[in-house]
Amino acid sequence: MITGGAGAAPSTEHPRLFVGTAGLPALWEKVKDPAIAPWLAALLKGCDKMLKEPPVAPPDTPSTPQNRVGGELGRARRAQHRIVSLALGHLLTGSTAYLDRAWAEIECWNDRWASWTDPAHGDGKFFDLMQGEMAATMGIAYDWLAASLDPARRAKLKEIVARRCLEPYLANTDGPKPAWWFKVYHNWNAVCNGGALIAALALENEHSRAREAIGRARAAMRPFFEAFGTEGGWDEGTGYWQYGTRYGIMALAALESCGEDTAGLFDLPGVRLTGLFPVTFCPGGVPVSWGDSGSEVHDPCLYLLGARTRNPDLIRYMDRIRDRWKTHGGGWPVEAFAILWRPVGEPWLPAAGSSMGLAPVRVYGGIGWSVFVDSWENPSFIAGFKCGDLGANHTQLDNNSLQLWAKGEWLAADLGAGVYNADYFSKKRWAMYVVTTAGHNALLIGGRGQLPKTRGALTSLAGGPTWSGVVGDATANYGGGVRRARRHFVVVRKSYVVMLDEVETGAAEKLEWRLHTPGPAEVTPDGAVYKGKAAALHICLPPALLEVRSERDPGEMPSGKHDFVIAASSAQSASSHLIPSVLVPAAPDAPAPKVSWTFRSDRLVVRIVRPEGADLLVWTKSASGWSLSEVQ
């Protein structure tokens, strides 16, 4: 039951963060809205469950940089989820049980955890991601609970925020050589600076250096926000978009709620557009991402970004997540921030169940990512293709690689990350199978893959009524000796893929065309077929050009993961190769498509016959290379 904080008048000092002193009455009214009610019910259900659970204790066996068995960061997030959820539950209901349970978690963190630094990152003096997360958590806890705590508890919590959050941040960023993450572009910047900024705002008038920390963190975060470019794309992938943007946007929202200047960061073009990036690459909740962390995005900062830009698609996306969201024991408190940030009562808000307004093809040229869908809400076909910067944080050697999902399952898969340990984040990373080009749906040239710190380029094709596509140029990624490495990626009728690889080298080389499937495939006279539970993938390759094999790949995989690959090697070494391929998802019992290839020195015709009809694609060659000239 919402009591309006047990009828208490809002404090003139706290809370300010995200609600503001004048905002609590409005928040108590807001939670009555039908759009908020499901989130509120989930929050309070979770809080009630937490009352019966003990505080999160440190692990019996601490982690090391090479073995993160203790899982300190995951445990920190469980505590974070509880503290923030219980604190908001207390603000909304006035429940002293929620207040006391939140306090028990806070005391446990202070008394039983000797270090708030993840041992994988350093000793307790190093302000890392875990300290950034806990700084945000403790800053929110102090701000939201201060008015309800007795003087002794309030003084203790204030001291915890100062000693374990604000002062370590200042120590790590003082002087001419601050911590390495201070002004990088990626997630470390936003999490460490953003978390510290929230803690500093909580103590703004109660610590002598709080104002200094606010200004320092706000200025240091500019490279993070500028990295969204003009399109809003994020080359670390969907998982790290969620992680970094969560703390970056939360820091800006905290500044605004406290009447502080956001230095124009909210209004940068890429920041205004970036909410569409995770919506684009999580169609129907299916993550189509590259690098170390491809996961579905479910962060309520999308509600806040949607409200600021009046973009109903961001609201539609999060509302669909709400419909299937279930409370859980750890992780970010989605329910709490959804309550705070889901807009209500605005005329631009979408009707329940309405469709997305996005085009079925989305290309982010700045980062070299693209996705093709037949539906954003309930897709039965999703294809992704990448050719971007192999110097991006958390990237892998995966340019000109594809992903393909149909009828509820992956057919051409990305293997994801290896084991997060010191080796994985050292120079040894580039030789690890899941990172190498061999571990992706891409080409090996002369047995060699791509090189780190190199850049490719992605260009959109004009498209037509029945097709759309892109061309990836990975020439620079393969190093010396490779004069051209382009892959044309064309989606026909929103239902299947046609590719053309054109490769030129200084010396005669063999090619290997690789495709990773979730299980073993069968080699056929026309290529191969992989059959899943609800879908099959027919891989059609020119038998005169390629020798096809299907195998369980011997490449080293993380424990519990398996890799199956269809590998097609060129029959002969040559300095010029032209390899077309067709990938057709279908029902497991559907007949295989019939594909024919007609080659001439300056013309290639690919004809695909399926039960649904026939299509013809014509490529022609000019001095600048091959181009798709006709689709009918």
Side-chain angles (χ1 to χ4, degrees), residues 193-207:
N193 285 307
L197 191 151
I198 291 167
L201 285 168
L203 298 185
E204 185 172 4
N205 301 313
E206 303 175 58
H207 192 283

PDB file of all heavy atoms in Angstrom, residues 193-207:
ATOM      1  N   ASN A 193      33.440   7.047 -13.034  1.00  0.00           N
ATOM      2  CA  ASN A 193      33.141   8.468 -12.850  1.00  0.00           C
ATOM      3  C   ASN A 193      31.680   8.701 -12.485  1.00  0.00           C
ATOM      4  O   ASN A 193      31.363   9.530 -11.626  1.00  0.00           O
ATOM      5  CB  ASN A 193      33.478   9.245 -14.120  1.00  0.00           C
ATOM      6  CG  ASN A 193      34.969   9.432 -14.316  1.00  0.00           C
ATOM      7  OD1 ASN A 193      35.668   9.909 -13.427  1.00  0.00           O
ATOM      8  ND2 ASN A 193      35.484   9.050 -15.479  1.00  0.00           N
ATOM      9  N   GLY A 194      30.771   7.960 -13.155  1.00  0.00           N
ATOM     10  CA  GLY A 194      29.352   8.157 -12.882  1.00  0.00           C
ATOM     11  C   GLY A 194      28.967   7.750 -11.480  1.00  0.00           C
ATOM     12  O   GLY A 194      28.207   8.448 -10.788  1.00  0.00           O
ATOM     13  N   GLY A 195      29.490   6.596 -11.009  1.00  0.00           N
ATOM     14  CA  GLY A 195      29.189   6.179  -9.645  1.00  0.00           C
ATOM     15  C   GLY A 195      29.707   7.159  -8.618  1.00  0.00           C
ATOM     16  O   GLY A 195      29.014   7.495  -7.645  1.00  0.00           O
ATOM     17  N   ALA A 196      30.939   7.638  -8.825  1.00  0.00           N
ATOM     18  CA  ALA A 196      31.514   8.609  -7.895  1.00  0.00           C
ATOM     19  C   ALA A 196      30.746   9.918  -7.907  1.00  0.00           C
ATOM     20  O   ALA A 196      30.558  10.555  -6.850  1.00  0.00           O
ATOM     21  CB  ALA A 196      32.975   8.846  -8.247  1.00  0.00           C
ATOM     22  N   LEU A 197      30.291  10.330  -9.087  1.00  0.00           N
ATOM     23  CA  LEU A 197      29.537  11.581  -9.174  1.00  0.00           C
ATOM     24  C   LEU A 197      28.250  11.504  -8.355  1.00  0.00           C
ATOM     25  O   LEU A 197      27.883  12.454  -7.659  1.00  0.00           O
ATOM     26  CB  LEU A 197      29.232  11.883 -10.642  1.00  0.00           C
ATOM     27  CG  LEU A 197      28.687  13.260 -10.974  1.00  0.00           C
ATOM     28  CD1 LEU A 197      29.092  13.661 -12.385  1.00  0.00           C
ATOM     29  CD2 LEU A 197      27.170  13.313 -10.871  1.00  0.00           C
ATOM     30  N   ILE A 198      27.584  10.366  -8.402  1.00  0.00           N
ATOM     31  CA  ILE A 198      26.344  10.198  -7.621  1.00  0.00           C
ATOM     32  C   ILE A 198      26.636  10.247  -6.128  1.00  0.00           C
ATOM     33  O   ILE A 198      25.900  10.874  -5.350  1.00  0.00           O
ATOM     34  CB  ILE A 198      25.651   8.889  -8.042  1.00  0.00           C
ATOM     35  CG1 ILE A 198      25.104   9.026  -9.467  1.00  0.00           C
ATOM     36  CG2 ILE A 198      24.534   8.504  -7.068  1.00  0.00           C
ATOM     37  CD1 ILE A 198      24.687   7.731 -10.101  1.00  0.00           C
ATOM     38  N   ALA A 199      27.716   9.586  -5.709  1.00  0.00           N
ATOM     39  CA  ALA A 199      28.092   9.652  -4.288  1.00  0.00           C
ATOM     40  C   ALA A 199      28.408  11.084  -3.880  1.00  0.00           C
ATOM     41  O   ALA A 199      28.030  11.527  -2.782  1.00  0.00           O
ATOM     42  CB  ALA A 199      29.292   8.744  -4.039  1.00  0.00           C
ATOM     43  N   ALA A 200      29.099  11.825  -4.749  1.00  0.00           N
ATOM     44  CA  ALA A 200      29.453  13.213  -4.432  1.00  0.00           C
ATOM     45  C   ALA A 200      28.211  14.091  -4.342  1.00  0.00           C
ATOM     46  O   ALA A 200      28.114  14.968  -3.473  1.00  0.00           O
ATOM     47  CB  ALA A 200      30.421  13.750  -5.485  1.00  0.00           C
ATOM     48  N   LEU A 201      27.251  13.872  -5.232  1.00  0.00           N
ATOM     49  CA  LEU A 201      26.009  14.647  -5.154  1.00  0.00           C
ATOM     50  C   LEU A 201      25.263  14.378  -3.848  1.00  0.00           C
ATOM     51  O   LEU A 201      24.654  15.287  -3.269  1.00  0.00           O
ATOM     52  CB  LEU A 201      25.113  14.311  -6.348  1.00  0.00           C
ATOM     53  CG  LEU A 201      25.531  14.901  -7.690  1.00  0.00           C
ATOM     54  CD1 LEU A 201      24.735  14.268  -8.824  1.00  0.00           C
ATOM     55  CD2 LEU A 201      25.355  16.425  -7.700  1.00  0.00           C
ATOM     56  N   ALA A 202      25.309  13.125  -3.399  1.00  0.00           N
ATOM     57  CA  ALA A 202      24.638  12.802  -2.138  1.00  0.00           C
ATOM     58  C   ALA A 202      25.239  13.567  -0.972  1.00  0.00           C
ATOM     59  O   ALA A 202      24.539  13.900   0.003  1.00  0.00           O
ATOM     60  CB  ALA A 202      24.720  11.300  -1.880  1.00  0.00           C
ATOM     61  N   LEU A 203      26.543  13.849  -1.041  1.00  0.00           N
ATOM     62  CA  LEU A 203      27.242  14.574   0.039  1.00  0.00           C
ATOM     63  C   LEU A 203      27.574  16.006  -0.363  1.00  0.00           C
ATOM     64  O   LEU A 203      28.462  16.622   0.233  1.00  0.00           O
ATOM     65  CB  LEU A 203      28.540  13.840   0.392  1.00  0.00           C
ATOM     66  CG  LEU A 203      28.430  12.411   0.929  1.00  0.00           C
ATOM     67  CD1 LEU A 203      29.806  11.901   1.336  1.00  0.00           C
ATOM     68  CD2 LEU A 203      27.468  12.333   2.102  1.00  0.00           C
ATOM     69  N   GLU A 204      26.851  16.541  -1.326  1.00  0.00           N
ATOM     70  CA  GLU A 204      27.242  17.823  -1.919  1.00  0.00           C
ATOM     71  C   GLU A 204      27.466  18.916  -0.879  1.00  0.00           C
ATOM     72  O   GLU A 204      28.408  19.708  -0.981  1.00  0.00           O
ATOM     73  CB  GLU A 204      26.180  18.275  -2.931  1.00  0.00           C
ATOM     74  CG  GLU A 204      26.573  19.529  -3.671  1.00  0.00           C
ATOM     75  CD  GLU A 204      25.610  19.864  -4.794  1.00  0.00           C
ATOM     76  OE1 GLU A 204      24.592  19.152  -4.939  1.00  0.00           O
ATOM     77  OE2 GLU A 204      25.867  20.825  -5.525  1.00  0.00           O
ATOM     78  N   ASN A 205      26.637  19.000   0.096  1.00  0.00           N
ATOM     79  CA  ASN A 205      26.760  20.048   1.116  1.00  0.00           C
ATOM     80  C   ASN A 205      27.319  19.518   2.430  1.00  0.00           C
ATOM     81  O   ASN A 205      27.260  20.209   3.445  1.00  0.00           O
ATOM     82  CB  ASN A 205      25.386  20.690   1.358  1.00  0.00           C
ATOM     83  CG  ASN A 205      24.803  21.300   0.088  1.00  0.00           C
ATOM     84  OD1 ASN A 205      25.498  22.016  -0.627  1.00  0.00           O
ATOM     85  ND2 ASN A 205      23.548  20.989  -0.192  1.00  0.00           N
ATOM     86  N   GLU A 206      27.862  18.293   2.387  1.00  0.00           N
ATOM     87  CA  GLU A 206      28.276  17.655   3.641  1.00  0.00           C
ATOM     88  C   GLU A 206      29.701  17.117   3.601  1.00  0.00           C
ATOM     89  O   GLU A 206      30.124  16.419   4.522  1.00  0.00           O
ATOM     90  CB  GLU A 206      27.299  16.512   3.972  1.00  0.00           C
ATOM     91  CG  GLU A 206      25.852  16.984   4.075  1.00  0.00           C
ATOM     92  CD  GLU A 206      24.880  15.838   4.288  1.00  0.00           C
ATOM     93  OE1 GLU A 206      25.041  15.110   5.267  1.00  0.00           O
ATOM     94  OE2 GLU A 206      23.971  15.680   3.451  1.00  0.00           O
ATOM     95  N   HIS A 207      30.446  17.430   2.542  1.00  0.00           N
ATOM     96  CA  HIS A 207      31.842  17.000   2.441  1.00  0.00           C
ATOM     97  C   HIS A 207      32.627  18.112   1.750  1.00  0.00           C
ATOM     98  O   HIS A 207      32.184  18.663   0.737  1.00  0.00           O
ATOM     99  CB  HIS A 207      31.957  15.707   1.638  1.00  0.00           C
ATOM    100  CG  HIS A 207      33.306  15.061   1.729  1.00  0.00           C
ATOM    101  ND1 HIS A 207      34.405  15.526   1.031  1.00  0.00           N
ATOM    102  CD2 HIS A 207      33.735  13.980   2.430  1.00  0.00           C
ATOM    103  CE1 HIS A 207      35.449  14.765   1.291  1.00  0.00           C
ATOM    104  NE2 HIS A 207      35.067  13.806   2.137  1.00  0.00           N
TER     105      HIS A 207
END
